[in-house]
Amino acid sequence: MAKSSSSSITVPRSAWLGRGRHLGPEAELDVRRNLLALKTARVIDDFLELDPIEAARSTDLFPRDESADPGPSARRLFEARWRVTGNVTVRAQLTTYEPESRRTDNESEVVWVLAAEAERAWEASWPSPATVFWPDSDRVAWDHDTVPGVRLRTTNYLPKDDGELRRLLRDCARQSWFIHVVVHEAMTPDALGRRPVTAFLPPSLKHRVIEHRATPEQALIADFAMKRELGVGLPRGGAVVLPPTPQSPDYAAERFTVGDVFLDGTEPTELLNKITEFASLPQPLQADAEQALTRLRQGWHLLTPDEELVHARAMVTRYAEALKAMTSSCDLYREAAESAHAALAEATSGSSTPRTPAPAASEEDASPLKTLTKTLSFFRRPDR
């Protein structure tokens, strides 16, 4: 897989994108089981599993270019289709990959990329595409970010070491596809307060946000590191939504900072509103995320019967137009060839060798006797 790089393009309003790591055994089996269960329960309309090579193959009926190829490290490709809010169709692809390097001792680690797109602007209240493919269970470790040591669906405590903390902030800003929030604990919370704030978010937003926690004694070091690396501060007992990379012109630190967050198990309404507002801003579309979205659009396989019929008709029309253009080109070529042959025949007077115009001759040279003498001398030359 290609490493992330920034792009001037923003994520379409209709798209949901995610990338993470599955650390448990048999990642594809977990996906397969979940899709089958949801189809049986009629939560999704249908799903499909493909070999990556087969998924990228181009045929006469389904021509595909290199944008449909998930790359040499791809393991499996899954597609699913479901409906939300009545008849709004969502199409999604999840591709599993071998990791680029073994950053952990877990030999079963698998990287996954998920791209989903709806027929209109995405709503946070819709089901999360992540839990269409992955079971929403703590027993399945699919929710690790590509940044080591960071997970969805839980609170991630910041490193104690200043260097490790700053490195983590840089990696989250540059590599992660998720929204990151840092919350400072003014005092050590009880069990209810240790529950992740992200649990209160609506379904589709819940799996786009990663929560970091700073312990009470980390107030100064976390605030300093965040100002140094990202240009935002962390209020004591408050929270801040970290800026994207590259930073959006719509982002302002004070706009997405909350002065007080009560970690007592109640819903932190102000912080949730800040996260929701941030998620509604145009988000930069990283290069590999753009590739995943292109594969979803250009390399889609799970067509309905009606869509297959429309596609077949479109291909028939396309080939008919191509045949018409080719026939027209052949006619033009034949006319040009006939004109060329006619011109050649005229130039050669029927012989195969073009005639060379003779220079103007004097009256003496033009006499029959002089011409005959020159011709005989030609045949008498010893070198002939």
Side-chain angles (χ1 to χ4, degrees), residues 75-89:
R75 292 162 51 117
R76 300 297 287 175
L77 185 143
F78 298 88
E79 293 185 348
R81 185 183 66 246
W82 65 94
R83 284 167 291 172
V84 292
T85 317
N87 289 317
V88 178
T89 298

Side-chain angles (χ1 to χ4, degrees), residues 69-292:
D69 189 353
S73 63
R75 292 162 51 117
R76 300 297 287 175
L77 185 143
F78 298 88
E79 293 185 348
R81 185 183 66 246
W82 65 94
R83 284 167 291 172
V84 292
T85 317
N87 289 317
V88 178
T89 298
V90 177
R91 294 174 177 84
Q93 277 185 348
L94 182 139
T95 308
T96 56
Y97 291 89
E98 297 289 350
E100 289 185 351
S101 61
R102 292 293 179 186
R103 292 168 295 187
T104 69
D105 295 331
N106 192 332
E107 292 298 323
S108 60
E109 176 183 332
V110 171
V111 175
W112 56 267
V113 172
L114 200 168
E117 189 164 30
E119 293 177 319
R120 63 176 176 83
W122 199 275
E123 294 185 12
S125 61
W126 291 347
S128 168
T131 50
V132 169
F133 292 93
W134 300 113
D136 194 8
S137 167
D138 294 335
R139 292 178 296 178
V140 181
W142 59 266
D143 58 346
H144 291 258
D145 195 359
T146 53
V147 177
V150 178
R151 294 186 69 173
L152 293 158
R153 305 188 299 170
T154 189
T155 53
N156 300 274
Y157 281 90
L158 295 176
K160 301 293 184 182
D161 179 74
D162 177 65
E164 291 181 12
L165 172 56
R166 290 169 60 182
R167 189 180 308 112
L168 174 71
L169 293 173
R170 285 196 301 269
D171 290 345
C172 289
R174 297 173 184 175
Q175 298 178 20
S176 179
W177 290 13
F178 298 107
I179 297 169
H180 291 261
V181 180
V182 179
V183 180
H184 177 248
E185 298 175 345
M187 58 184 68
T188 303
D190 58 15
L192 288 176
R194 288 194 294 272
R195 290 178 54 196
V197 171
T198 53
F200 293 99
L201 290 169
S204 272
L205 190 52
K206 183 186 302 183
H207 297 137
R208 287 184 56 202
V209 180
I210 289 178
E211 179 182 346
H212 303 268
R213 289 280 183 98
T215 59
E217 62 273 14
Q218 284 182 295
L220 292 178
I221 188 174
D223 180 64
F224 177 79
M226 290 169 60
K227 286 178 178 176
R228 184 74 178 270
E229 295 297 331
L230 304 174
V232 298
L234 178 65
R236 185 182 294 272
V240 62
V241 183
L242 300 185
T245 300
Q247 188 164 317
S248 167
D250 298 318
Y251 180 89
E254 60 275 10
R255 181 180 174 186
F256 297 104
T257 300
V258 177
D260 295 296
V261 179
F262 297 101
L263 300 172
D264 56 2
T266 59
E267 184 172 336
T269 306
E270 185 180 3
L271 177 57
L272 298 178
N273 289 340
K274 297 289 185 183
I275 296 173
T276 303
E277 182 184 1
F278 178 87
S280 68
L281 294 179
Q283 303 293 326
L285 181 62
Q286 300 191 33
D288 42 4
E290 184 179 3
Q291 292 169 4

